[in-house]
Amino acid sequence: MNLSTFILISLVAGVAFGTLLNTTFPENIELINQVFLAPVGESFLRLIQFVVVPIVFSSLIMGLTRIQGAGQVGRYTVKLMTSYLVTSSIALGVGMGTAYIIQPGSGVTGFSLSADINLVESPSLLSWLVSLIPVNPLEALSTGNLLQIIFSAVLLGIGIQIAKEKAKPFVELIESIYHISERTLSVILYVAPLGVFALMSSTIATQGLELVAKLLFYVLGLVIASSIMLSLDMSILFLLKADPVKFIRSLSEAIALAFGTASSNAALPVVLQNIQENYGLREEIASFAIPLGTALKRDGAAILQGFNALFVAQIYQVPLTPSLLMAIAVSSLLVSFSTPGVPGSALITMATVLSASGLPLEAIALVAGIDRLTDGLKTVVNIIGNSVNAIILSHWEAEQLPEVEQIPAR
């Protein structure tokens, strides 16, 4: 039995155990959660995050040393950003279209529209772009700022290519860091089933399934929208003459981990490992596209933000005018590119979309309780969309340079 199967079993067991606690032993939930479930789940997330920064930083630099010059880095970036914009726009359309057809907010009553939610105002687009440039690369590494880490790695990668032979000792050090981090990850993954079990049990025990039943059409709508987007991703692979079945099997560990942790950042090192070793994506493509996509490419977030905004508009019976739909679409698309890859981030960015669209912020309380349960699905859509876009880049490059032999998977 492979690791992905163990993780899936632990997911089911976590839901069952959490339901048992919530329905049969509610008086023991707080004690069990504080003493066992929450500490174990948090410890597992911290272990995964322990290897995220060294793997991302070292794999990016290793990939960039294989890319021939700054021109090729620029070409990769332009192509990725183009495919990100197209596929994220499609994801947004799927989310808004599903909400428009299903009408999950119609007839929703009996909720208290007040909650203690800390809302953080998002920076302007210009301020956000400036913030991508790190003042200190070591600070970017220590804080785990993925976009700044990517920026730092790109600059160092260009410097390495210019320095040539004099940079060889540094490149060897980076390769050692990558291989050590990869082996460390394989050890950490042995405790993944326990960590996922604790995370799911804690969520179900504290939130319960009653809220899911109350927001049944909301959850159903998100499941349908996510399924449509995943089907489109598989269709893209089919059109590229890639094997969707092999793709899903190759990423099975990463998918199970993404659903259990609800964190794109936590799943990143496993996605990077699976897409290279199991699927066979070229290392120079994977090591650049997967970290960049984890920081920027979030189809699940685009679906969720567009869906949530229409859900809120339906609750308050706000007419869906063209100007409102445009405000929702533009703000949701921009927010999807800046959503942090951590659990619960959608609630913060949702405030930006609702504010830009003139919708009441207090409606965030409606989805706050169920966010952790839908976050896992959103994260799965994120990592699959990211991986598909990396494969798109690989095929795009192969068509442009057919005479270049592909680097075999490790």
mmCIF file of all heavy atoms in Angstrom, residues 90-106:
data_model
loop_
_atom_site.group_PDB
_atom_site.id
_atom_site.type_symbol
_atom_site.label_atom_id
_atom_site.label_comp_id
_atom_site.label_asym_id
_atom_site.label_seq_id
_atom_site.Cartn_x
_atom_site.Cartn_y
_atom_site.Cartn_z
ATOM 1 N N ILE A 90 -10.547 31.459 -17.077
ATOM 2 C CA ILE A 90 -11.517 30.377 -17.289
ATOM 3 C C ILE A 90 -12.047 29.875 -15.947
ATOM 4 O O ILE A 90 -13.253 29.662 -15.780
ATOM 5 C CB ILE A 90 -10.865 29.221 -18.079
ATOM 6 C CG1 ILE A 90 -10.540 29.673 -19.508
ATOM 7 C CG2 ILE A 90 -11.777 27.994 -18.104
ATOM 8 C CD1 ILE A 90 -9.732 28.662 -20.300
ATOM 9 N N ALA A 91 -11.139 29.689 -14.977
ATOM 10 C CA ALA A 91 -11.547 29.226 -13.644
ATOM 11 C C ALA A 91 -12.517 30.206 -13.003
ATOM 12 O O ALA A 91 -13.520 29.811 -12.396
ATOM 13 C CB ALA A 91 -10.312 29.040 -12.755
ATOM 14 N N LEU A 92 -12.227 31.491 -13.134
ATOM 15 C CA LEU A 92 -13.111 32.519 -12.591
ATOM 16 C C LEU A 92 -14.489 32.449 -13.247
ATOM 17 O O LEU A 92 -15.527 32.529 -12.564
ATOM 18 C CB LEU A 92 -12.497 33.899 -12.806
ATOM 19 C CG LEU A 92 -13.337 35.103 -12.379
ATOM 20 C CD1 LEU A 92 -13.606 35.068 -10.879
ATOM 21 C CD2 LEU A 92 -12.634 36.402 -12.767
ATOM 22 N N GLY A 93 -14.508 32.283 -14.579
ATOM 23 C CA GLY A 93 -15.776 32.163 -15.294
ATOM 24 C C GLY A 93 -16.568 30.943 -14.853
ATOM 25 O O GLY A 93 -17.802 30.998 -14.721
ATOM 26 N N VAL A 94 -15.852 29.842 -14.596
ATOM 27 C CA VAL A 94 -16.510 28.625 -14.121
ATOM 28 C C VAL A 94 -17.147 28.863 -12.748
ATOM 29 O O VAL A 94 -18.293 28.469 -12.496
ATOM 30 C CB VAL A 94 -15.507 27.455 -14.056
ATOM 31 C CG1 VAL A 94 -16.101 26.264 -13.302
ATOM 32 C CG2 VAL A 94 -15.103 27.023 -15.461
ATOM 33 N N GLY A 95 -16.407 29.510 -11.848
ATOM 34 C CA GLY A 95 -16.927 29.779 -10.502
ATOM 35 C C GLY A 95 -18.138 30.691 -10.522
ATOM 36 O O GLY A 95 -19.169 30.394 -9.893
ATOM 37 N N MET A 96 -18.046 31.783 -11.256
ATOM 38 C CA MET A 96 -19.162 32.728 -11.327
ATOM 39 C C MET A 96 -20.356 32.127 -12.071
ATOM 40 O O MET A 96 -21.514 32.319 -11.672
ATOM 41 C CB MET A 96 -18.711 34.026 -12.013
ATOM 42 C CG MET A 96 -17.686 34.817 -11.212
ATOM 43 S SD MET A 96 -17.135 36.354 -12.027
ATOM 44 C CE MET A 96 -18.668 37.304 -12.014
ATOM 45 N N GLY A 97 -20.078 31.393 -13.145
ATOM 46 C CA GLY A 97 -21.160 30.772 -13.917
ATOM 47 C C GLY A 97 -21.914 29.737 -13.109
ATOM 48 O O GLY A 97 -23.153 29.661 -13.164
ATOM 49 N N THR A 98 -21.186 28.927 -12.340
ATOM 50 C CA THR A 98 -21.826 27.912 -11.506
ATOM 51 C C THR A 98 -22.707 28.555 -10.438
ATOM 52 O O THR A 98 -23.836 28.125 -10.192
ATOM 53 C CB THR A 98 -20.762 27.017 -10.839
ATOM 54 O OG1 THR A 98 -19.924 26.439 -11.833
ATOM 55 C CG2 THR A 98 -21.429 25.897 -10.036
ATOM 56 N N ALA A 99 -22.189 29.606 -9.804
ATOM 57 C CA ALA A 99 -22.975 30.308 -8.777
ATOM 58 C C ALA A 99 -24.212 30.958 -9.382
ATOM 59 O O ALA A 99 -25.282 30.978 -8.769
ATOM 60 C CB ALA A 99 -22.113 31.366 -8.088
ATOM 61 N N TYR A 100 -24.084 31.482 -10.588
ATOM 62 C CA TYR A 100 -25.216 32.134 -11.257
ATOM 63 C C TYR A 100 -26.313 31.127 -11.583
ATOM 64 O O TYR A 100 -27.512 31.419 -11.451
ATOM 65 C CB TYR A 100 -24.727 32.814 -12.536
ATOM 66 C CG TYR A 100 -25.795 33.598 -13.263
ATOM 67 C CD1 TYR A 100 -26.126 34.892 -12.880
ATOM 68 C CD2 TYR A 100 -26.489 33.029 -14.343
ATOM 69 C CE1 TYR A 100 -27.113 35.608 -13.541
ATOM 70 C CE2 TYR A 100 -27.476 33.732 -15.009
ATOM 71 C CZ TYR A 100 -27.774 35.029 -14.603
ATOM 72 O OH TYR A 100 -28.758 35.726 -15.267
ATOM 73 N N ILE A 101 -25.924 29.929 -11.988
ATOM 74 C CA ILE A 101 -26.911 28.904 -12.385
ATOM 75 C C ILE A 101 -27.531 28.226 -11.169
ATOM 76 O O ILE A 101 -28.748 28.056 -11.073
ATOM 77 C CB ILE A 101 -26.243 27.858 -13.304
ATOM 78 C CG1 ILE A 101 -25.838 28.513 -14.637
ATOM 79 C CG2 ILE A 101 -27.185 26.678 -13.563
ATOM 80 C CD1 ILE A 101 -24.991 27.635 -15.520
ATOM 81 N N ILE A 102 -26.695 27.832 -10.197
ATOM 82 C CA ILE A 102 -27.188 27.066 -9.044
ATOM 83 C C ILE A 102 -27.897 27.950 -8.024
ATOM 84 O O ILE A 102 -28.776 27.492 -7.292
ATOM 85 C CB ILE A 102 -26.018 26.299 -8.386
ATOM 86 C CG1 ILE A 102 -25.527 25.210 -9.329
ATOM 87 C CG2 ILE A 102 -26.431 25.676 -7.063
ATOM 88 C CD1 ILE A 102 -24.404 24.381 -8.782
ATOM 89 N N GLN A 103 -27.522 29.228 -7.946
ATOM 90 C CA GLN A 103 -28.113 30.165 -6.985
ATOM 91 C C GLN A 103 -27.995 29.658 -5.535
ATOM 92 O O GLN A 103 -28.998 29.482 -4.830
ATOM 93 C CB GLN A 103 -29.599 30.391 -7.315
ATOM 94 C CG GLN A 103 -29.874 30.970 -8.691
ATOM 95 C CD GLN A 103 -29.659 32.470 -8.752
ATOM 96 O OE1 GLN A 103 -30.124 33.196 -7.886
ATOM 97 N NE2 GLN A 103 -28.934 32.922 -9.753
ATOM 98 N N PRO A 104 -26.765 29.410 -5.046
ATOM 99 C CA PRO A 104 -26.611 28.846 -3.692
ATOM 100 C C PRO A 104 -27.061 29.791 -2.585
ATOM 101 O O PRO A 104 -27.355 29.349 -1.481
ATOM 102 C CB PRO A 104 -25.110 28.572 -3.606
ATOM 103 C CG PRO A 104 -24.494 29.548 -4.557
ATOM 104 C CD PRO A 104 -25.465 29.673 -5.675
ATOM 105 N N GLY A 105 -27.100 31.110 -2.851
ATOM 106 C CA GLY A 105 -27.474 32.057 -1.815
ATOM 107 C C GLY A 105 -28.956 32.335 -1.714
ATOM 108 O O GLY A 105 -29.405 32.982 -0.755
ATOM 109 N N SER A 106 -29.733 31.833 -2.661
ATOM 110 C CA SER A 106 -31.174 32.086 -2.637
ATOM 111 C C SER A 106 -31.830 31.313 -1.497
ATOM 112 O O SER A 106 -31.648 30.096 -1.373
ATOM 113 C CB SER A 106 -31.801 31.670 -3.971
ATOM 114 O OG SER A 106 -31.255 32.428 -5.027
#
